[in-house]
Amino acid sequence: MARIGFIGLGNMGGPMAANLLKAGHAVRGYDRSDAALTAFRDAGGAVAGSASEAASEAEVLITMLPAGAHVREVWLHQGGLIEAAAASGTKPLLIDCSTIDVASARAVAEAAEAAGLAMLDAPVSGGTVGAAAGTLTFMVGGTEAGFARAEPVLRGMGKTIVLAGGPGAGQAAKICNNMMLAITMIGVSEGFLLAQRLGLDWDKLWAITSTATAQSWALSSYCPAPGVVPTAPSNRDYAPGFMAALMLKDVNLSQAAAEATGTPTPLGAHAAALYRQLVEAGEGARDFSVIFRWLDGQARAPAGG
Ligand code: NAD
């Protein structure tokens, strides 16, 4: 069992760190939010007073933070985690599970390598339900040697663990996944909205489409129409889950990557525009499936418009 430092104990990091505790690891956690620290302590974790304190004596260091700016701040900032990890003498393995831009992931991995430490980008899929159940999918970028060290630890939090390629490859896989998810969630929302206005019962629609060709995770496990899938955020006033503001971040990352590579992604661009409108409407802190309710309140654009 390993000594693990875990920074970022929010909607995802909190249950992930709790599963590491359940797997028998010694986990010391840090978050700048007191509420997150209290929940981690209640789950049996040891609380640190700073990120670098969580790093001391750790054999593995994990971050689960909102975006690239937070990841760079925590790992690279003066007195940051790479400096603390390099000074600790334990030569910990560094793993960032946040969803961030490929450039930030590679910059942090390079700084780690320069300090003589192995670093992996290991973003996840599966949402807060998968985080709580320990069934996440990890998409890992880094070396095979780093992956071999990480796998037993990641097994405590996930079911499917894939080495996608070198540094940044995990993030590349993740932004492609989330671009597809954003498009799919909007598609499912449109289908359920149209069904309602055609007088169809949502439960019947779900029973048919979840085993038909429209089947998807957004439909089967996370239905945005309330009352259909009991565990979905749509049944708790769209409390996250996965915040719409974070989905906008991810779909914007996909569009920056598409721009940089000259890739045609017209539906990705449209999804980004719709999520931007949703966030501008003040729904950023709700689950990203709230796009369904927001769409319900929109007027149809005139034909040809
Ligand atoms: P969250 O906002 O609930 O959690 C992030 C945590 O990081 C917060 O508790 C915040 O206080 C903490 N934090 C921020 N800056 C910090 C700092 N400098 N030092 C210490 N703590 C700091 O977000 P989340 O939903 O847990 O998402 C985390 C990451 O996982 C994001 O990159 C997101 O895109 C990704 N992700 C989320 C989901 C999901 O369903 N929520 C699914 C897959 C991936």
Side-chain angles (χ1 to χ4, degrees), residues 10-12 31-32 64-66 73-74 99 124 127 241-242 249:
N11 288 325
M12 292 296 287
D31 194 292
R32 63 185 180 188
M64 190 49 160
L65 298 162
E73 179 195 317
V74 167
T99 304
V124 304
F242 180 43
K249 169 201 64 150

Side-chain angles (χ1 to χ4, degrees), residues 91-144:
K91 288 248 170 200
L93 174 67
L94 316 181
I95 307 175
D96 176 44
C97 294
S98 328
T99 304
I100 63 169
D101 56 291
V102 175
S104 291
R106 290 189 177 144
V108 177
E110 276 165 25
E113 201 186 341
L117 299 167
M119 176 141 201
L120 303 171
D121 49 293
V124 304
S125 173
T128 46
V129 172
T135 56
L136 292 170
T137 294
F138 282 88
M139 308 158 224
V140 185
T143 62
E144 289 198 3

